[in-house]
Amino acid sequence: MQVTETLSDGLKRGFTVTVPAAEIESKRTARLKEVGQSMKLPGFRPGKVPMSILQQRFGESVQGEVLEQVVSEATRTLLDERGLRPAMQPKVDLVSGSEPGSKEDLKFTVEFEVLPEITIPDLSDLSLVRLKSEVNAETVDKALNEIASRQREFEKVEEDRPAATGDVAVVDFVGKVDGTAFEGGSADDVSVELGGAGFIPGFAEQIEGMKVGDEKVITVTFPADYGAEHLAGKEATFDIKLKELRRPVEAKIDDELAKKLGFDGLEQVRELISKQVGQEYEQLSRLRLKRELLDKLAEKTDFEAPPGMVDAEFSQIWNRIEEDRKAGRLDEEDKDKDEDTLRADYRKIAERRVKLGLLLAEIGRVNNITVTQEEIVHAVRAEASRYPGQEQAVFEYFSKNPQAVDGLRGPIFENKVIDYIVELAKVEDKDVTPEELAEMPEADV
């Protein structure tokens, strides 16, 4: 194998590789003979099929198989011998000698970007602040009130009075667009909570003031991001008939409510709420600590990010931005920016993510941080638990899609590296209120 360097510009590398035609022919002949050993053809004993027939039937496919093997092995040898670590999959182009039976040497080009030289900063020199918040009785009481609200029952309103906020109106309705009833827009005996969420904006509000037996036509506009595209952003009318009013009967917060929920008593519910809220606070605290850690590491990433990796990361970000823009979901701070400004801003974010990802990967590599099979299995089980009744389908999906497993491995690896760095860093704990903990910005990476 002969290798000639053709490009060395920053992180970009290019080579022309030549493999003797005799080597290609030798591998090709050996593979054809291997195929012939198992081939059954009338008039020939196993393993005795003439090479000319094997060539005729399998020459093209075997040539492709051999070329793929040779190019892969030659590229791997090139990288190993020169100590090069490509940032992404190398780009390979065949130049000559790739046709079956060719007498020319195989020549191909390979181009790629190498990973930059990464100097790991002194992690023990990092100073971080970990925000912590305790679960107080007021928070638990608030959660209990919300639970009680969801468990409340409703009784029929007997007096003749208008519907008001907090009532549940039982209605029949017929929805129309441009005067024509549309599919899925009509229903009977529907319960609508006045002042609650779940209906088209303006729908429940216009029922307020109606009395049982009243009929009314209301006008609403479907949101621009409404699930049914043929209705999104359109104005519609609804013929409403109010059939019954119900009012809530507040549930008492006592042991009976706890037993209704499947617990022994109210104290057990309070303990569970406190534990769950505490876990939420811990997750928020970790997110904020991670953000501060990544911000400080970003200041120490003085190496060049491979342009191809930045392009790929930016492409993923920009696709999401385009989807959000079409659906009217752009962040407030982005809505008034022109496209050039938006692209520049998000390219900086893409570059930051790539650099931090490479730095974390290098810290993990140097310190032998790996993801175990047990951790992958645990992650798959956790993912399957999100789809009750479909667990087996989820397991099969991951068993057949290695890329999906890699999608689980990445976050596990990153979290283990973050934990490793936090252990080395100087971390000061600071007590804050739950509100202060929730106000802190989330991580970009």
Side-chain angles (χ1 to χ4, degrees):
M1 181 178 80
Q2 180 181 345
V3 178
T4 304
E5 186 174 54
T6 58
L7 174 64
S8 180
D9 181 13
L11 298 178
K12 295 181 180 180
R13 298 291 185 273
F15 301 89
T16 296
V17 181
T18 303
V19 180
E23 182 178 337
I24 304 297
E25 182 60 26
S26 175
K27 290 180 179 292
R28 182 169 163 275
T29 300
R31 180 57 182 145
L32 283 171
K33 287 180 178 179
E34 186 179 335
V35 171
Q37 292 297 320
S38 58
M39 181 181 180
K40 294 181 180 180
L41 195 66
F44 298 96
R45 287 180 296 166
K48 299 299 182 180
V49 179
M51 183 60 70
S52 59
I53 295 178
L54 293 174
Q55 167 62 33
Q56 184 181 10
R57 292 199 173 195
F58 304 105
E60 189 170 337
S61 62
V62 166
Q63 179 75 3
E65 182 181 334
V66 168
L67 288 179
E68 183 178 353
Q69 177 190 0
V70 169
V71 169
S72 178
E73 291 177 351
T75 302
R76 187 163 54 249
T77 299
L78 161 65
L79 297 175
D80 290 343
E81 289 181 349
R82 298 185 179 235
L84 299 173
R85 291 197 295 156
M88 301 176 69
Q89 185 68 26
K91 177 187 175 185
V92 174
D93 288 314
L94 299 177
V95 177
S96 62
S98 60
E99 295 299 321
S102 174
K103 301 300 181 182
E104 287 187 274
D105 292 340
L106 173 66
K107 182 179 290 187
F108 66 91
T109 61
V110 54
E111 293 185 355
F112 52 90
E113 293 172 353
V114 294
L115 290 174
E117 289 293 329
I118 299 174
T119 301
I120 298 176
D122 183 357
L123 302 178
S124 64
D125 195 42
L126 293 173
S127 295
L128 306 171
V129 177
R130 177 164 44 211
L131 305 181
K132 302 183 73 175
S133 186
E134 297 297 326
V135 181
N136 53 40
E138 182 182 349
T139 300
V140 176
D141 290 340
K142 181 180 178 182
L144 273 174
N145 285 327
E146 292 174 353
I147 292 173
S149 177
R150 292 195 295 270
Q151 293 297 319
R152 63 185 176 174
E153 297 179 351
F154 291 84
E155 63 181 11
K156 184 177 179 180
V157 176
E158 299 293 349
E159 64 263 33
D160 181 25
R161 68 166 177 79
T165 299
D167 289 338
V168 169
V170 181
V171 302
D172 295 344
F173 60 78
V174 177
K176 301 175 183 178
V177 173
D178 297 329
T180 303
F182 57 88
E183 184 179 354
S186 302
D188 294 334
D189 298 322
V190 175
S191 295
V192 181
E193 184 178 354
L194 306 188
F199 278 80
I200 307 163
F203 186 98
E205 291 85 341
Q206 295 184 64
I207 296 176
E208 294 183 27
M210 294 178 66
K211 291 185 176 183
V212 174
D214 286 354
E215 296 185 14
K216 181 180 181 181
V217 178
I218 66 174
T219 302
V220 299
T221 299
F222 285 95
D225 58 352
Y226 192 67
E229 292 184 8
H230 66 290
L231 296 174
K234 290 190 176 181
E235 185 177 86
T237 62
F238 284 86
D239 300 338
I240 303 284
K241 181 178 181 180
L242 178 56
K243 300 172 71 174
E244 183 180 307
L245 270 184
R246 299 172 184 167
R247 61 187 166 202
V249 178
E250 298 298 330
K252 293 182 179 179
I253 301 177
D254 54 18
D255 287 339
E256 290 304 314
L257 173 63
K259 291 175 181 178
K260 184 178 178 181
L261 295 170
F263 296 91
D264 295 333
L266 187 61
E267 189 58 34
Q268 190 177 15
V269 180
R270 295 185 68 91
E271 289 175 0
L272 179 62
I273 291 173
S274 182
K275 180 179 179 181
Q276 291 178 335
V277 174
Q279 290 173 344
E280 292 174 7
Y281 287 176
E282 287 179 7
Q283 290 174 353
L284 281 173
S285 176
R286 178 180 174 81
L287 278 175
R288 306 326 181 224
L289 183 65
K290 178 181 177 181
R291 172 59 187 263
E292 184 185 8
L293 170 60
L294 293 176
D295 284 346
K296 292 196 171 183
L297 287 178
E299 296 173 359
K300 301 177 182 297
T301 54
D302 57 356
F303 53 85
E304 179 187 357
M309 295 185 73
V310 176
D311 289 343
E313 181 67 28
F314 173 76
S315 179
Q316 290 186 1
I317 295 174
W318 192 251
N319 286 339
R320 192 196 73 237
I321 295 300
E322 290 280 68
E323 291 175 2
D324 288 348
R325 182 156 54 184
K326 289 177 183 177
R329 297 194 301 263
L330 269 186
D331 293 340
E332 288 298 324
E333 59 189 48
D334 288 340
K335 286 183 177 179
D336 296 329
K337 295 179 182 178
D338 58 55
E339 183 164 323
D340 288 343
T341 301
L342 269 180
R343 282 182 173 273
D345 288 349
Y346 282 101
R347 189 163 186 86
K348 289 179 182 177
I349 291 175
E351 185 173 357
R352 168 190 160 100
R353 290 184 179 180
V354 169
K355 284 186 172 183
L356 285 172
L358 290 175
L359 179 56
L360 293 177
E362 183 67 5
I363 292 172
R365 185 185 72 84
V366 170
N367 293 284
N368 298 314
I369 298 173
T370 59
V371 177
T372 66
Q373 185 60 33
E374 183 181 354
E375 289 168 330
I376 291 293
V377 171
H378 180 76
V380 171
R381 286 176 179 167
E383 190 69 17
S385 69
R386 297 175 53 205
Y387 302 92
Q390 303 179 52
E391 290 88 348
Q392 189 58 40
V394 175
F395 290 139
E396 291 178 1
Y397 170 77
F398 281 105
S399 68
K400 296 176 181 178
N401 293 274
Q403 289 183 335
V405 175
D406 288 340
L408 297 177
R409 180 179 285 103
I412 297 173
F413 175 79
E414 180 179 285
N415 284 330
K416 292 183 75 171
V417 175
I418 293 292
D419 289 341
Y420 173 81
I421 298 172
V422 170
E423 284 294 321
L424 296 177
K426 302 179 182 72
V427 181
E428 174 192 353
D429 289 334
K430 179 182 179 182
D431 291 330
V432 296
T433 66
E435 292 75 20
E436 289 173 322
L437 185 62
E439 285 173 2
M440 300 301 290
E442 295 187 3
D444 286 332
V445 179

